[in-house]
Amino acid sequence: MTKIINFKETINQKELEEIGSTLRNGKLVIFPTETVYGIGANALDAKAVDDIFKAKGRANDNPLIVHVANFDMVHELTYEPTPIEKHLMDAFMPGPFTLILKKKKMIPDNVSAGLDTVGIRMPENDIARKIIEEANVPVAAPSANISSRPSGTKIEDIKDEFDGKVDIIVDGGETKIGIESTVVKVIDGIPNVLRPGKITPEDIKDVVGIVKIDEHVYKKAEGKVESPGMKYRHYAPNSNCIMIYSEQDEILIEEIKKHLTPNTIIIGYLEHQKYFPTTKFYVHGSKNNYDEISHNIFSLLRKVDKEHPDLIIIEGVKKEGIGIAIMNRLIRSCSYHYIEK
Ligand code: TXA
Ligand code: MG
């Protein structure tokens, strides 16, 4: 039986203690962060970590991110960071940011899928931080979704997939950002963005003067890659799906019209809804508010999928700021089936 604990309004101390001991004792807890929900286990307990892989159906060559509550935990788990890594940590932790660092032996091999590095993240979400502090162990946590499905951003979307598979689900309402953290690895002194997120390449450049975006951010990854997660089908609804984008509205709208089927659902801009009066249309956000799109997109994909359309058409965004991360996710949601004009 999975227990649901409601921390939406207040964090109850007794329940917090129960969550902490559940994690310490090798059980699984789903909890909110500012990005998406995570399915967490004691990162120092190889058996508990193995249970995460089983619950998600995750490939075991895809490493997990380890969540910490403070810098002491970072130093315990990893070797001394380089000055650039230190700069990045000071600038973006706590926050929606994951840094790949050299790991110490105490982190079990299955956490890092046999790599000698580990992804470290210090969430800023209050519930997440209190849970990790209370557990007093680092918490390995991938996004709370069955592998290949859209990441969970509210418990209504998570309950069905994980009921009975985890001990506790902590409800913290809808996650603020809605897409996962920016994953960065410093290679030869240059920060490489392996997975884009709310912390943008520009933000990173502002701090250390230089940044690279990994070539697999928009491309399909095969074989050996820096970020194993990029190899897998991800964020995908079960229905057929195509993403379409043009900076010019007329071209975008015309292209969508060419693809419409009798039972298409469009996920698109508030400003474009009026051009499709006879098609089911869900708004992902406004053209000038990409944060809104990032917040809504995974949950909308799940919602639309439940209606079994013969096609989902998603309007894409401009690849700048958080738009880089949104396009990275949408391209994968549509299994690389997209048109940019
Ligand atoms: O926002 C987030 O990061 C969420 C919340 C729960 O914190 N977590 C999350 O975890 O998205 P997950 O497991 O769904 O994604 C982890 C990503 C994968 O793409 C994985 O390949 C990459 O991080 N990763 C983890 N450890 C790595 C390592 N040592 N080297 C390279 N990439 C790594
Ligand atoms: Mg994930």
Side-chain angles (χ1 to χ4, degrees), residues 36 56 58 62 142-145 149 151 180 195 234-235:
V36 299
K56 271 185 71 98
R58 180 170 174 120
N62 191 3
S143 50
N145 53 277
R149 303 271 302 144
S151 305
E180 307 85 343
R195 180 178 70 182
H234 213 165
Y235 320 117

Side-chain angles (χ1 to χ4, degrees), residues 82-85 88 97 99-100 183-194 201 204-205 208-214 226:
T82 63
I84 290 182
E85 289 167 343
L88 292 169
F97 182 75
L99 189 61
I100 309 295
V183 177
V184 171
K185 182 179 184 181
V186 178
I187 303 172
D188 299 330
I190 302 172
N192 279 245
V193 177
L194 304 186
I204 294 166
K205 198 168 172 201
V208 293
I210 188 164
V211 69
K212 254 192 196 166
I213 302 180
D214 189 88
E226 282 297 344

Side-chain angles (χ1 to χ4, degrees), residues 110-182:
N110 59 351
V111 172
S112 54
L115 300 172
D116 59 0
T117 54
V118 63
I120 298 284
R121 167 152 138 73
M122 191 187 296
E124 68 187 353
N125 175 284
D126 202 34
I127 298 173
R129 295 202 68 187
K130 292 227 163 80
I131 287 175
I132 304 163
E133 262 166 30
E134 180 65 40
N136 202 23
V137 290
V139 176
S143 50
N145 53 277
I146 299 295
S147 273
S148 92
R149 303 271 302 144
S151 305
T153 58
K154 56 181 186 199
I155 68 155
E156 294 76 11
D157 290 346
I158 293 168
K159 257 191 311 206
D160 294 347
E161 284 183 5
F162 289 104
D163 196 23
K165 291 188 179 178
V166 301
D167 269 50
I168 297 175
I169 297 178
V170 181
D171 188 357
E174 291 183 16
T175 60
K176 191 173 82 185
I177 296 170
I179 57 181
E180 307 85 343
S181 63
T182 307

Side-chain angles (χ1 to χ4, degrees), residues 6-47:
N6 183 347
F7 278 178
K8 276 201 280 204
E9 264 80 53
T10 51
I11 299 177
N12 174 287
Q13 184 57 31
K14 261 216 133 54
E15 288 173 322
L16 187 63
E17 285 165 18
E18 181 185 349
I19 295 165
S21 64
T22 302
L23 281 168
R24 268 195 312 282
N25 293 332
K27 300 286 181 7
L28 304 186
V29 174
I30 290 178
F31 63 95
T33 80
E34 67 274 26
T35 57
V36 299
Y37 276 78
I39 166 167
N42 179 350
L44 304 178
D45 181 338
K47 158 83 178 59

